[in-house]
Amino acid sequence: CHQKTNTGRDLCRNCLPHLPRVSENSSEFGSTLCLRCGWEWPSPNKRQECAQCAKYQSVIDQIICPFRYDFPIDHLIGRLKYRQHLSSGRLLGSLLAQEVVSELNPLDYPDYLVPVPLNDHRYRQRGFNHALEIARGCSVELGIPVSADSAGRRFDTGSLVGLSRAERGMRIRGAFWVSERLKGARVAIVDDVLTSGATSGELATELIDSGIGGIQLWVLARTPVTGNEGGS
């Protein structure tokens, strides 16, 4: 709304309620997006995963994701990624940190934040890594250090938009390298959007192979099962 804020963030109290939550109660019973597969089902209580996904074990211990990939969150993410609006990264990181505070006991906080890395070509095009900007916003509020140089991309996977879950998995396989400097530490992978889970899952696997003590995934927005936008 471009009005002066009264919240300590670049978003006022009037606009905060318009952010699309993963679990929303606008209907009589409300609904929730599964953070693993993106399926939406009626649910009065916030849950991380649907009954089907709850049957399967993941290398990721917990997912923190406050929003649906919908307006105005998609607009804020787009401003950061494609219009170099770095203050949006600060805001998004702050909103993500706020969710972490409400979801986790401080004793369960990770030791480091690991933003999903960009490949060198895309980094040169943009001049920054949007996931790193979000992680920095989280770091300022939570006091958790960012380890941006502990992971990188071996090759450019190209855009994953429009690909099926299986195609994303094949495209991203082997794309990351991870150093062993964080061996034994607990980390949180930080990214903007969770779509199929292929990107974050591949990075998490590499982190586990490097001897990480535990992995969480912190991401701003979840696409529904039919969505094609986003990156993870």
Side-chain angles (χ1 to χ4, degrees), residues 22 33-38 46-49 53 58-67 96 99-100 103-104 188-189 193-194 196-197 200-201 215-222:
V22 160
L33 289 181
C34 174
L35 296 187
R36 297 201 184 277
C37 72
K46 183 175 180 179
R47 289 170 50 193
Q48 283 227 331
E49 52 196 21
C53 288
S58 171
V59 297
I60 296 174
D61 301 319
Q62 184 167 4
I63 303 174
I64 302 292
C65 179
F67 304 113
L96 185 54
E99 184 74 4
V100 170
E103 290 283 325
L104 294 182
I189 297 170
V193 183
L194 178 60
S196 71
S200 54
I215 299 177
Q216 299 175 22
L217 172 62
W218 296 1
V219 62
L220 257 299
R222 183 63 167 100

Side-chain angles (χ1 to χ4, degrees), residues 21-231:
R21 305 288 303 184
V22 160
S23 293
E24 56 91 20
N25 297 301
S26 58
S27 64
E28 181 180 358
F29 300 104
S31 66
T32 297
L33 289 181
C34 174
L35 296 187
R36 297 201 184 277
C37 72
W39 183 260
E40 183 170 14
W41 78 97
S43 173
N45 300 314
K46 183 175 180 179
R47 289 170 50 193
Q48 283 227 331
E49 52 196 21
C50 63
Q52 189 66 26
C53 288
K55 299 177 182 178
Y56 301 100
Q57 190 173 8
S58 171
V59 297
I60 296 174
D61 301 319
Q62 184 167 4
I63 303 174
I64 302 292
C65 179
F67 304 113
R68 299 167 185 249
Y69 189 68
D70 200 356
F71 185 82
I73 286 294
D74 58 351
H75 177 68
L76 290 170
I77 291 174
R79 284 207 304 177
L80 170 63
K81 292 173 70 171
Y82 307 119
R83 295 171 57 187
Q84 299 182 334
H85 201 272
L86 299 187
S87 62
S88 293
R90 181 180 66 231
L91 169 61
L92 294 170
S94 175
L95 292 171
L96 185 54
Q98 186 178 35
E99 184 74 4
V100 170
V101 169
S102 68
E103 290 283 325
L104 294 182
N105 185 307
L107 295 176
D108 296 324
Y109 285 3
D111 301 308
Y112 297 95
L113 305 181
V114 178
V116 172
L118 287 178
N119 66 77
D120 291 341
H121 175 68
R122 188 164 297 183
Y123 185 86
R124 287 193 298 269
Q125 281 185 325
R126 291 184 183 170
F128 67 99
N129 179 359
H130 61 280
L132 174 56
E133 297 303 317
I134 294 171
R136 284 172 172 162
C138 284
S139 177
V140 168
E141 295 229 354
L142 301 176
I144 303 172
V146 178
S147 183
D149 57 352
S150 60
R153 293 217 186 202
R154 293 191 177 97
F155 54 84
D156 183 5
T157 59
S159 175
L160 303 182
V161 175
L163 299 182
S164 68
R165 184 182 298 267
E167 289 170 334
R168 286 171 180 256
M170 290 296 295
R171 181 77 67 85
I172 202 72
R173 186 170 298 171
F176 297 108
W177 60 262
V178 173
S179 72
E180 295 187 356
R181 71 187 64 180
L182 299 181
K183 187 174 182 178
R186 299 174 301 171
V187 304
I189 297 170
V190 179
D191 205 3
D192 59 338
V193 183
L194 178 60
T195 302
S196 71
T199 301
S200 54
E202 182 68 19
L203 179 54
T205 299
E206 290 294 328
L207 286 165
I208 288 291
D209 290 344
S210 71
I212 289 297
I215 299 177
Q216 299 175 22
L217 172 62
W218 296 1
V219 62
L220 257 299
R222 183 63 167 100
T223 61
V225 69
T226 56
N228 288 323
E229 298 298 328

